[in-house]
């Protein structure tokens, strides 16, 4: 993955507008940390292969970045994004890594379902 370049990521986001896409969105603050420290408050969210169509998408910020996707009845967004990749299958993979290098958030967009 590379450090986010807004122009490149925005172009990739635009390439999926008004297409049926599959979305992966995941966030965690260390879901397994509570196994080692009962006082640690664990929170996370996970959705995979949500089929949506967005009419507008935008990346904003100075880094970490936020991506918002306007869907028919609302919004999907991810905040804290730092890195991206467009893989061999043409999927846009975005991730946010904390100062410790751990994954905090992932937002992935694909024209085909994720495995």
């Amino acid at each position: 993955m590379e450090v986010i370049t807004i122009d490149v990521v925005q172009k990739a986001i635009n390439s999926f507008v008004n297409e049926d896409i599959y979305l992966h969105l995941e966030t965690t603050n260390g879901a397994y940390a509570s196994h080692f420290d009962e006082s640690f408050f664990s929170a996370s969210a996970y959705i995979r292969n949500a089929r949506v169509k967005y009419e507008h998408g935008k990346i904003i910020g100075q880094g970490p970045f936020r991506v918002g996707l306007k869907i028919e009845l609302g919004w999907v967004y991810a905040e804290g994004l730092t890195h991206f990749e467009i893989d061999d299958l043409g999927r846009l993979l975005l991730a946010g890594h904390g100062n410790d290098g751990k994954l905090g958030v992932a937002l992935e967009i694909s024209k085909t379902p994720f495995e």
Side-chain angles (χ1 to χ4, degrees), residues 20-71:
D20 286 327
I21 57 105
Y22 295 89
L23 191 72
H24 173 85
L25 177 61
E26 178 176 0
T27 181
T28 181
N29 66 345
Y32 298 102
S34 60
H35 294 294
F36 302 105
D37 179 359
E38 292 180 2
S39 66
F40 182 81
F41 177 76
S42 176
S44 63
Y46 180 92
I47 185 168
R48 187 165 185 87
N49 286 324
R51 189 171 159 191
V52 300
K53 182 184 292 187
Y54 61 89
E55 59 195 59
H56 175 74
K58 184 81 174 170
I59 180 168
I60 62 170
Q62 302 295 316
F65 299 92
R66 178 173 27 181
V67 168
L69 306 174
K70 174 70 175 93
I71 59 176

Side-chain angles (χ1 to χ4, degrees), residues 9 13 57-60 65-69 76-79 81 94 107 109:
V9 172
I13 290 169
K58 184 81 174 170
I59 180 168
I60 62 170
F65 299 92
R66 178 173 27 181
V67 168
L69 306 174
V76 173
Y77 84 87
E79 187 166 349
L81 299 164
L94 296 155
L107 174 65
I109 301 169

Side-chain angles (χ1 to χ4, degrees), residues 65-96:
F65 299 92
R66 178 173 27 181
V67 168
L69 306 174
K70 174 70 175 93
I71 59 176
E72 182 181 3
L73 299 176
W75 285 87
V76 173
Y77 84 87
E79 187 166 349
L81 299 164
T82 58
H83 293 79
F84 83 103
E85 176 180 344
I86 300 170
D87 72 4
D88 294 341
L89 300 175
R91 302 180 298 191
L92 174 60
L93 313 175
L94 296 155

Side-chain angles (χ1 to χ4, degrees), residues 7-20:
D7 294 344
V8 175
V9 172
Q10 185 63 60
K11 184 177 177 182
I13 290 169
N14 292 347
S15 72
F16 293 100
V17 168
N18 291 323
E19 302 255 355
D20 286 327

